[in-house]
Amino acid sequence: MSSGISALSSFLLIRTVPKVGNCMRHHLTHLRAMDLLMAFLSVISVSLVCARWWGHSEWSPQTLQLFYDVDSLICYFFLAHFAYGWVRAPNRMAFFKANWFYLPGSLPMVEQLRWARLIQLWRVYQLLRDRPDLLGMFRRERNETTLSGILFLFFLLLGVGSGVMYWLETGQPGSLIQTPYDAFWWTLVTLSTVGYGDLVPKTEEGRFVASLLILFGVGLFGALSGFMASLFVHPGKTNDDTTLWRRQQSEQQAQLLQELKALRAEVRALQQK
């Protein structure tokens, strides 16, 4: 009798799987670390568009142009992410049909279409509303989580560093960083550990910020180098945790099917009596 109850509970569990499956098919996939990065960049992009449209009286023309150029770079990043997902998709036509509406907001030549980035935010909101296991997701998808974290820190430091350096250095006597483009270029060169030396901060506050960005840049690109090296050293073992998780899921499904067969056999035996 206990085995029959166990099998019945397994049968009811299996009947609930299609509902979850429909939800997953509606969102195409479960929440991933790269989705959170895309949501962060979508917020940045929408903020830049708002600043360009309604901030003409508060920002200089050079600053507004920098906002446009940075937003265009984000567009190219979105296009690269879409192309990567399309190439890796098992069914490319199905992937395109389900994700084509992300493309309008990724076109760098039409600024009005960039409001479509809100679709990306809505999708992530729907996935977060289901209260996913974020820690479990980070453990299963370590490679994607590591890459997303590195890119998130890079974009964050690039934006914050440029703004702080421009605020500290502009208008100061003898300072070489006088425009938003100068601050952005200096921060990019510093974080990438290239260090051309064409622009350097002159104030004590600016040099303090520069020392912090140098340390962060070295650590950031060191982590990126280690991540890329691990992919080349173990090309066939890039996602062991995901493989183990899928294997466990397959074993659980096989066990449920066995219990369901036992339940059917028990029901037939009762009917024959």
Side-chain angles (χ1 to χ4, degrees):
M1 187 64 181
S2 59
S3 61
I5 295 176
S6 176
L8 180 60
S9 61
S10 302
F11 174 74
L12 294 176
L13 179 60
I14 293 176
R15 292 297 300 271
T16 61
V17 170
K19 297 181 180 180
V20 179
N22 291 333
C23 178
M24 297 302 285
R25 286 193 295 270
H26 176 70
H27 296 300
L28 298 180
T29 181
H30 59 283
L31 184 66
R32 305 177 68 92
M34 193 61 69
D35 293 328
L36 300 178
L37 176 62
M38 294 297 106
F40 169 74
L41 293 179
S42 298
V43 172
I44 298 300
S45 175
V46 173
S47 301
L48 293 177
V49 173
C50 292
R52 279 182 53 82
W53 283 30
W54 294 294
H56 292 280
S57 59
E58 300 179 2
W59 305 98
S60 64
Q62 289 181 337
T63 303
L64 295 176
Q65 183 62 37
L66 176 63
F67 289 167
Y68 179 81
D69 294 339
V70 172
D71 195 23
S72 299
L73 292 176
I74 295 176
C75 288
Y76 290 116
F77 186 83
F78 277 123
L79 288 175
H81 178 258
F82 183 89
Y84 178 78
W86 180 78
V87 171
R88 294 290 302 272
N91 190 335
R92 296 179 179 177
M93 183 58 66
F95 177 86
F96 183 81
K97 289 181 178 179
N99 294 271
W100 66 268
F101 48 84
Y102 293 130
L103 283 177
S106 302
L107 299 177
M109 64 286 298
V110 185
E111 188 176 11
Q112 290 76 8
L113 292 178
R114 297 181 187 180
W115 294 104
R117 306 276 174 80
L118 297 175
I119 301 176
Q120 180 76 24
L121 294 177
W122 176 252
R123 174 179 180 271
V124 174
Y125 166 74
Q126 287 182 316
L127 294 176
L128 287 174
R129 191 175 56 181
D130 296 334
R131 297 180 181 179
D133 183 11
L134 295 179
L135 295 178
M137 177 193 70
F138 293 150
R139 288 194 297 266
R140 290 193 305 268
E141 303 169 358
R142 290 185 180 179
N143 288 332
E144 184 171 331
T145 300
T146 301
L147 181 59
S148 301
I150 292 174
L151 293 176
F152 170 77
L153 289 177
F154 176 77
F155 289 125
L156 182 63
L157 292 174
L158 182 61
V160 174
S162 300
V164 172
M165 189 56 62
Y166 176 72
W167 177 61
L168 292 175
E169 290 291 320
T170 182
Q172 297 296 328
S175 177
L176 301 176
I177 302 176
Q178 295 295 333
T179 65
Y181 272 105
D182 292 339
F184 180 81
W185 170 253
W186 176 87
T187 306
L188 180 62
V189 170
T190 302
L191 285 177
S192 61
T193 67
V194 175
Y196 285 123
D198 53 344
L199 298 175
V200 292
K202 295 296 184 179
T203 63
E204 295 182 358
E205 295 83 0
R207 290 177 179 177
F208 175 76
V209 173
S211 62
L212 294 179
L213 288 178
I214 290 173
L215 294 177
F216 278 113
V218 172
L220 198 63
F221 274 82
L224 181 60
S225 300
F227 172 77
M228 297 301 296
S230 65
L231 295 182
F232 286 105
V233 172
H234 303 288
K237 299 180 179 179
T238 57
N239 212 345
D240 293 336
D241 293 335
T242 302
T243 303
L244 179 61
W245 177 75
R246 291 176 179 175
R247 185 182 306 160
Q248 293 175 351
Q249 295 296 318
S250 300
E251 293 176 355
Q252 292 178 1
Q253 291 178 2
Q255 183 178 0
L256 290 175
L257 291 176
Q258 291 178 0
E259 293 182 359
L260 179 59
K261 292 179 181 180
L263 176 62
R264 290 177 178 176
E266 190 171 342
V267 170
R268 291 195 191 97
L270 293 175
Q271 289 177 350
Q272 291 177 359
K273 292 180 180 180

